Amino acid sequence: MGAAASGRCCEDAADHRVKLCNLRHCCSAPISASGPGGTRPMQVTELRNDDFEKSSEEVTNPFKDTTPEALRKRSVCCPHGHPMRARLAVELLELVFGYMNDQDCDLCGKELKEPEAYYRCRICDIDYCLNCVRLKLGLCPAMSIGLLRPALRLLPGDVLLFGPDRFGIHHVVLVRGELEDAQDVGEYIDVTPGAKLLSCDTIESNRTTSGDDHWWYATRTLLERDAHAGTAFVIGDAPRNSDAIFLHPRPAAVKVLLHPLREELGGPELNRPIFELAVKSCEARSQKYSWNTAVSAFFAFSELIDAAHYPSVEEKADLLPKIMESWQRPPICSAVVVQVWQQYCLFLHAKDPQLAMSRILEWMPLWCNLTRPSSMVNVLTKGGWMLYESLET
């Protein structure tokens, strides 16, 4: 659904990316992007490496503690102990009904009237803004002016969410490589003063772009991170198999959904070679983005695969063909995340299908063809995934 009205970066019905340059034939002077609607002025001001080294020493990482008590504290719960789920703007809700949430954060009192992300306990009718969630988890506030911190460590399997656009739609992109400095393309791009250009390898499904050999679009996504302001924007991409750079005419805000298979969380870690094998397997059978699937997902009310409905070995065995059948439907942007993660579970436990099904029900309990970005975030954050409003640690 994320790209249903958005192309790669929300809102426009056509691909309005600007081809900035061919790296092999481009002059060395920095170039600014321009396009429909204009862009923010861009200039280069690099943050010094010693700034980031100093910040790494000064800011402690509460996730290094892997005791059972510390692991429990990493789940966002209301005062009564109920797990809280992250909520995004619901696709097209504002357009159809007007934005109806008039709640305040129950910790700091911040108004949550804008279509922004927050955590909610439906049982107790309690809402927390993302900044208060960070404080509950022992993290620094998202915007500590003057404090330079290292960026989040992105891993394969994490998710980037671009937007929302004016329709309340986020575009979902699957991360397949770690976040890294983008100095090699930085000489061709002017970035906002005080910001830094970063990149990571990603794969996605959208209406306007595709790969050379497959429908899914594998590229190197370019991100502009401002550590002072605590903001991050996607500004374009530079495909690995091309010498071109593409800039988006309207930079879009970036949220990050981190998966729970991380060393610092003390549990099982992601098997990177198997995950990349799952990505390539799904990419090889990828299909063209589908408006019909987007419409079906918008009207779906059963995107969750509830493990309680499949308690027995036989019921889990019957569920697997249905999950694989959902992969055959033409995708929307969120389908890439769902399908790859479910394929990863099957590859990871190829000799034990029952364990593979248990992992799917634990890590990615969603129907591939019925899941909108907002419902994906809502379900996964109850199962150990964590939503961040930017690239700040």
Side-chain angles (χ1 to χ4, degrees):
M1 187 70 187
S6 62
R8 181 171 198 255
C9 223
C10 305
E11 206 165 301
D12 293 311
D15 182 7
H16 287 313
R17 297 182 308 158
V18 178
K19 185 173 182 180
L20 179 60
C21 63
N22 286 320
L23 294 179
R24 297 174 189 166
H25 308 290
C26 178
C27 64
S28 60
I31 303 175
S32 298
S34 61
T39 64
R40 296 168 296 136
M42 295 183 177
Q43 296 178 359
V44 175
T45 300
E46 293 289 345
L47 295 175
R48 301 188 308 275
N49 289 333
D50 56 344
D51 288 333
F52 286 94
E53 292 172 359
K54 182 177 179 181
S55 65
S56 300
E57 297 171 356
E58 292 177 348
V59 180
T60 60
N61 182 1
F63 286 170
K64 288 299 182 182
D65 185 356
T66 57
T67 62
E69 181 181 359
L71 290 174
R72 285 193 297 270
K73 289 180 179 179
R74 288 171 202 156
S75 298
V76 182
C77 298
C78 75
H80 298 95
H82 305 131
M84 301 180 73
R85 297 187 182 188
R87 297 177 64 88
L88 296 180
V90 178
E91 294 79 4
L92 302 181
L93 182 66
E94 182 179 11
L95 183 66
V96 177
F97 301 107
Y99 192 69
M100 297 182 293
N101 180 46
D102 58 354
Q103 304 295 323
D104 296 336
C105 173
D106 288 289
L107 288 178
C108 70
K110 175 186 176 182
E111 292 185 341
L112 299 172
K113 291 185 178 180
E114 311 87 37
E116 61 180 295
Y118 61 98
Y119 274 73
R120 177 168 179 77
C121 175
R122 294 184 61 184
I123 298 175
C124 301
D125 190 24
I126 291 176
D127 302 301
Y128 293 161
C129 69
L130 292 188
N131 204 52
C132 285
V133 167
R134 298 173 68 89
L135 295 176
K136 282 183 66 67
L137 293 175
L139 300 169
C140 297
M143 298 178 68
S144 296
I145 303 301
L147 175 62
L148 297 180
R149 302 181 300 274
L152 280 175
R153 184 190 180 198
L154 297 186
L155 297 178
D158 290 334
V159 178
L160 301 179
L161 299 115
F162 305 156
D165 66 10
R166 59 193 175 95
F167 300 106
I169 296 174
H170 287 80
H171 179 58
V172 173
V173 172
L174 180 65
V175 175
R176 64 191 299 187
E178 292 200 33
L179 194 66
E180 60 186 16
D181 194 289
Q183 288 183 349
D184 58 321
V185 297
E187 62 179 300
Y188 305 109
I189 302 174
D190 288 345
V191 299
T192 302
K196 190 173 183 67
L197 187 64
L198 303 171
S199 70
C200 63
D201 287 323
T202 58
I203 191 165
E204 64 191 272
S205 175
N206 65 64
R207 295 174 298 107
T208 59
T209 51
S210 61
D212 294 334
D213 302 314
H214 309 289
W215 281 110
W216 288 3
Y217 182 54
T219 189
R220 180 187 180 194
T221 293
L222 302 177
L223 303 169
E224 184 184 275
R225 180 218 179 195
D226 189 334
H228 297 278
T231 59
F233 294 89
V234 55
I235 63 170
D237 67 280
R240 291 286 187 184
N241 59 349
S242 170
D243 59 357
I245 303 174
F246 298 94
L247 291 188
H248 301 300
R250 299 182 185 90
V254 176
K255 298 180 184 69
V256 184
L257 189 62
L258 300 184
H259 66 73
L261 305 188
R262 319 178 88 82
E263 177 185 6
E264 60 266 29
L265 295 184
E269 297 179 44
L270 186 82
N271 186 311
R272 296 196 189 193
I274 292 180
F275 189 83
E276 182 60 21
L277 180 63
V279 171
K280 292 181 178 178
S281 176
C282 295
E283 181 185 27
R285 62 173 183 262
S286 62
Q287 301 181 61
K288 186 178 181 180
Y289 179 96
S290 171
W291 269 101
N292 290 335
T293 303
V295 173
S296 298
F298 176 72
F299 289 104
F301 294 97
S302 58
E303 65 276 350
L304 171 67
I305 305 176
D306 192 342
H309 296 163
Y310 307 94
S312 69
V313 172
E314 294 77 13
E315 287 169 316
K316 286 184 174 67
D318 292 339
L319 175 61
L320 179 56
K322 298 177 182 178
I323 288 177
M324 298 181 71
E325 181 182 357
S326 74
W327 298 352
Q328 306 306 314
R329 306 290 180 87
I332 55 177
C333 64
S334 51
V336 174
V337 174
V338 177
Q339 186 178 155
V340 170
W341 266 93
Q342 291 175 346
Q343 181 68 82
Y344 167 72
C345 294
L346 293 176
F347 281 164
L348 184 65
H349 302 292
K351 297 181 179 180
D352 191 345
Q354 289 301 313
L355 181 56
M357 284 304 306
S358 296
R359 293 307 189 201
I360 289 175
L361 293 173
E362 179 183 359
W363 296 335
M364 193 54 63
L366 293 163
W367 293 109
C368 183
N369 60 313
L370 297 176
T371 301
R372 306 183 308 272
S374 61
S375 57
M376 180 185 72
V377 170
N378 185 261
V379 170
L380 295 184
T381 50
K382 192 176 180 180
W385 293 65
M386 179 60 63
L387 181 67
Y388 285 76
E389 70 273 57
S390 67
L391 293 173
E392 303 313 303
T393 53

